[in-house]
Amino acid sequence: EPEVTQTPSHQVTQMGQEVILRCVPISNHLYFYWYRQILGQKVEFLVSFYNNEISEKSEIFDDQFSVERPDGSNFTLKIRSTKLEDSAMYFCASSPGDTDTQYFGPGTRLTVL
Amino acid sequence: AQSVTQPDIHITVSEGASLELRCNYSYGATPYLFWYVQSPGQGLQLLLKYFSGDTLVQGIKGFEAEFKRSQSSFNLRKPSVHWSDAAEYFCAVDDYKLSFGAGTTVTVRA
């Protein structure tokens, strides 16, 4: 069964550094998402992406964040200058349509020191 | 705006006993509703979903959920819990993005 994959599984970085989290969505899906879950809190929507542009973003997704689909398979989330409060589990998800089931990857745990 | 409330933060249940997890939603139109499960250190796995039609939906691992529009609820049930069901369970509503509840942690005792 096809699945969403994410790399790395765990990333440790220093405050102020740039990080790129990578995702490979399910191949025939058209909609891509990033969510995050700070330890002990609920899963929060960050951004959705369709047709090579952002469809919707939350207020969390400020100018420090960007997303890109650099080729036909990868979907990346970049944080330009990480802060301590960016420490969280980041989940990528994909879906065939905009109100179809979203399938989640295993997550990348980002730790900012 | 859409929102989801899961009133129970933590539930402890004996193995073999029944389980019911509560979910209430706030949404203006007919909601698309989901239950996901997250085992420790793992990602989110879809248990079941409701889009339309039959209000009782069956999912994986023996779970089912019932959509009740009059109560704005979408409660998850399992008749007989196994130790492997210990996990965190999230209810979510879809409005072109998922809005999740805070989650319910289920502990299964032997």
Side-chain angles (χ1 to χ4, degrees):
Chain A
E1 184 176 324
E3 55 186 25
V4 177
T5 59
Q6 290 185 243
T7 54
S9 57
H10 192 186
Q11 172 105 38
V12 181
T13 190
Q14 296 291 324
M15 190 169 53
Q17 295 296 304
E18 174 183 287
V19 294
I20 298 176
L21 310 183
R22 301 179 194 282
C23 168
V24 179
I26 294 172
S27 64
N28 63 343
H29 286 186
L30 301 176
Y31 292 81
F32 314 113
Y33 310 83
W34 284 100
Y35 293 82
R36 79 171 185 191
Q37 183 182 30
I38 294 171
L39 188 64
Q41 298 185 23
K42 66 168 70 176
V43 178
E44 303 171 287
F45 168 77
L46 290 178
V47 66
S48 58
F49 190 86
Y50 169 72
N51 200 27
N52 279 321
E53 58 184 35
I54 291 174
S55 312
E56 187 172 352
K57 59 184 181 179
S58 72
E59 54 193 34
I60 301 168
F61 194 89
D62 62 21
D63 292 344
Q64 293 300 312
F65 291 88
S66 62
V67 289
E68 191 178 33
R69 190 154 161 82
D71 53 42
S73 59
N74 289 284
F75 179 51
T76 62
L77 174 70
K78 182 193 291 187
I79 309 175
R80 265 181 266 283
S81 178
T82 49
K83 307 184 189 72
L84 295 176
E85 55 264 36
D86 293 327
S87 295
M89 181 74 93
Y90 288 81
F91 292 107
C92 173
S94 69
S95 67
D98 57 1
T99 54
D100 286 323
T101 300
Q102 294 181 28
Y103 294 89
F104 284 77
T108 293
R109 179 165 297 286
L110 176 65
T111 301
V112 182
L113 302 176
Chain B
Q2 70 281 7
S3 67
V4 172
T5 302
Q6 293 181 247
D8 304 304
I9 298 172
H10 192 183
I11 286 180
T12 298
V13 61
S14 297
E15 192 168 15
S18 64
L19 174 68
E20 181 166 13
L21 304 182
R22 296 184 289 166
C23 171
N24 293 101
Y25 67 88
S26 173
Y27 189 69
T30 300
Y32 292 168
L33 295 161
F34 302 82
W35 275 99
Y36 286 86
V37 61
Q38 184 182 32
S39 298
Q42 303 296 311
L44 295 161
Q45 182 182 22
L46 178 70
L47 282 177
L48 47 77
K49 61 189 178 187
Y50 172 78
F51 282 3
S52 65
D54 194 347
T55 56
L56 185 63
V57 293
Q58 303 296 321
I60 62 170
K61 304 185 180 189
F63 284 92
E64 66 178 26
E66 186 170 13
F67 170 65
K68 292 186 178 179
R69 184 188 301 275
S70 61
Q71 298 177 19
S72 297
S73 69
F74 187 56
N75 294 349
L76 181 72
R77 298 193 293 254
K78 185 168 183 177
S80 177
V81 165
H82 186 261
W83 64 266
S84 60
D85 294 322
E88 189 156 19
Y89 292 79
F90 293 95
C91 183
V93 63
D94 190 348
D95 184 22
Y96 302 101
K97 61 183 182 291
L98 291 174
S99 293
F100 287 86
T104 298
T105 301
V106 173
T107 298
V108 180
R109 59 179 174 226

